[in-house]
Every structure is written in C-alpha cells, then in structure tokens.
Amino acid sequence: MKALASDFDGTLYFEDGVREHDQKAILNFQKHHLFGLCTGRPFIGVQHYIKDIIQPDFYIVSSGACILDKDGQVLYEQTLSKDTMQAIYQQYHHQAEVSIQADFRIYTLLKDSKIPIVQTYVETLDDVGSEHIFGLSINAKNEQQAKQWTQDLNETYDDIVAFQNKEYIDIVKKGCSKGAAIQKLKELLHLDYVYGIGDSYNDIPMLESADCSFTFHDSPESVQKKATYVVSSINEAIQMIEGQ
C-alpha cells in the first residue's frame, strides 16, 4: 500500500482554500492509495477547512506528536509535561502570542487573538487541559526572529524540539517530528511506500523521511535541497507518482 502525506498551510490549503485541481487529483489518488495530512496544526485546526472537500485517510498533526486514523481516533501520541508548557509560555508570552495545543483544542490567553484558527479562550494556564498537551505555537514578529527563538528553545530545553515554520514556531516533545511520524505511520498502517510533500522548514524531517518527496519552486532553497522533486502543485506531484 502506498500513501501520500501532505503538509497543510501553503501546500494543500491557501488563502483561496484548497485548489480545485489538487482536490480532483487527491480524490482520484484515493481510489487506489491513501492520502493524509502531515501538519503542525492540531486536528481541530484542519477539520473546519477541509470539511466536505477532502476526507483524509490519516492525520499526522501537531508536528508529529499525534497520529489519527480517518475517523479521528488516536493511533499514537506523545505529550509535553504541564511544567514545560508553563515554562515556555512564561518565557515568551510577553513578546509574542503563544497558543497551546491540548486535549484536541487550541488554547489562548488572549481575547483578541490574531491566529486565524478556532481557539478556546482561557483566563489562566491552570484552565488548560493537562492530560494531552501536544505542543505550543509561538507567533514571532518575522522569520528572522522565529529562526533565533527556534535555536534558543532547542538549546535551552532538553525535553522538547522546536521547528520553524516561517514566522511561527511549533514546539513538541523531543523525538517528535513530521519525519518520525512518517516512519511510525508506515508501521501502524503497514505501508510499503510513503510520499511526502511540503513547503517550509518544518517539513524537512518529512521530506528526508519519506521514500520520495516533493516541494515547490517557491519553497526556501534549503527545503528544495531536501526534496526528491520540485513541482508546482500537489496535482503535479500526483501525476508524477501515477506515472512511476
């Protein structure tokens, strides 16, 4: 069995939504293979945007901290401690918006949150669920600041790993990544071959781990160097896969 794992923002989903030619290509691909998401967003952060458009066969969410089947049932998860979550939040929330992915929700302590995803407002960190803290996201001012903070986080904390996604930073338990999740997915679903496609820095582990990978012509050069092929769309990538 073959599968294609796709990043969400800037790969499958754009400002104008899921592009029609990509949607059609995915639906045809799913007649014989599996298609799923591999994203830094949590499950709730993608459901609303693809409802009635795409029905993934699997979900790798929260930068690999959680894998779900097509029905949203958890197949695998790795969580952060509440102490680590609180320490990182306290360090950065005065400088940037920090959201917390926990219990399949996105929590924010800002009433005027600017992150365009459905979020749950709480007044204190104690109101954040503690059973399943999958990660945190920090919205830096720009890519340069995000790059520096990502480096600082990885040097400061022993139990987490931070990934830069343009001006965002996604933080999950150490050992988690989109790449590690691809390997776990192959084991869980007994897959023979996995393709990956993504557009940004946090997709590099997926591009390296996939048996064959794709990125775009406008992706950063460091990302293009890690991909097997450079394409213009998911549609083009699927055409290449079907032609192999």
Side-chain angles (χ1 to χ4, degrees):
M1 177 68 72
K2 294 181 179 181
L4 171 60
S6 172
D7 174 48
F8 190 73
D9 294 288
T11 300
L12 173 67
Y13 191 84
F14 300 87
E15 290 184 0
D16 56 349
V18 177
R19 293 171 177 172
E20 186 176 357
H21 64 289
D22 287 340
Q23 179 188 2
K24 289 181 178 178
I26 291 167
L27 293 175
N28 285 328
F29 184 82
Q30 287 180 293
K31 292 177 181 178
H32 304 288
H33 312 291
L34 302 181
F35 174 85
L37 300 180
C38 189
T39 176
R41 292 194 186 210
F43 187 46
I44 194 173
V46 298
Q47 284 176 296
H48 170 75
Y49 299 96
I50 60 173
K51 185 179 180 181
D52 302 324
I53 300 174
I54 301 288
Q55 295 182 337
D57 298 297
F58 59 85
Y59 300 82
I60 295 173
V61 296
S62 299
S63 297
C66 185
I67 302 175
L68 306 101
D69 66 14
K70 63 181 181 180
D71 299 315
Q73 299 300 308
V74 175
L75 300 176
Y76 171 83
E77 66 178 20
Q78 291 289 312
T79 59
L80 293 176
S81 70
K82 195 158 190 174
D83 287 344
T84 296
M85 177 271 287
Q86 291 176 332
I88 294 173
Y89 181 88
Q90 294 297 345
Q91 182 177 354
Y92 287 95
H93 81 280
H94 293 297
Q95 306 171 75
E97 181 171 358
V98 181
S99 59
I100 302 154
Q101 300 179 16
D103 294 337
F104 300 99
R105 296 182 181 182
I106 307 172
Y107 292 93
T108 179
L109 275 72
L110 293 180
K111 288 185 177 181
D112 58 344
S113 170
K114 295 178 174 60
I115 298 177
I117 306 177
V118 178
Q119 299 194 82
T120 299
Y121 170 74
V122 291
E123 294 186 354
T124 70
L125 290 178
D126 290 333
D127 296 324
V128 175
S130 60
E131 291 297 320
H132 303 277
I133 302 174
F134 295 116
L136 300 92
S137 292
I138 301 175
N139 184 8
K141 293 179 180 178
N142 51 55
E143 289 193 30
Q144 186 58 40
Q145 185 181 68
K147 181 179 180 179
Q148 183 60 57
W149 284 359
T150 298
Q151 181 178 331
D152 293 344
L153 282 159
N154 285 323
E155 291 176 351
T156 302
Y157 295 89
D158 295 329
D159 56 343
I160 64 97
V161 59
F163 297 101
Q164 181 188 358
N165 181 15
K166 298 180 181 177
E167 73 273 19
Y168 285 91
I169 305 164
D170 296 323
I171 303 160
V172 290
K173 186 175 181 179
K174 190 171 184 177
C176 293
S177 71
K178 291 185 177 185
I182 289 292
Q183 293 303 314
K184 190 66 179 180
L185 182 77
K186 291 182 75 172
E187 174 188 328
L188 292 168
L189 300 186
H190 309 290
L191 300 172
D192 301 311
Y193 203 92
V194 176
Y195 299 89
I197 184 167
D199 72 302
S200 193
Y201 308 108
N202 65 333
D203 294 310
I204 288 176
M206 173 179 63
L207 301 180
E208 292 179 323
S209 183
D211 297 293
C212 178
S213 59
F214 302 87
T215 192
F216 301 129
H217 296 286
D218 59 354
S219 297
E221 184 179 353
S222 59
V223 179
Q224 292 189 34
K225 287 181 178 179
K226 297 298 183 179
T228 312
Y229 299 106
V230 178
V231 295
S232 59
S233 65
I234 289 178
N235 174 48
E236 183 180 347
I238 289 177
Q239 288 181 0
M240 293 181 66
I241 293 171
E242 298 289 22
Q244 291 179 350

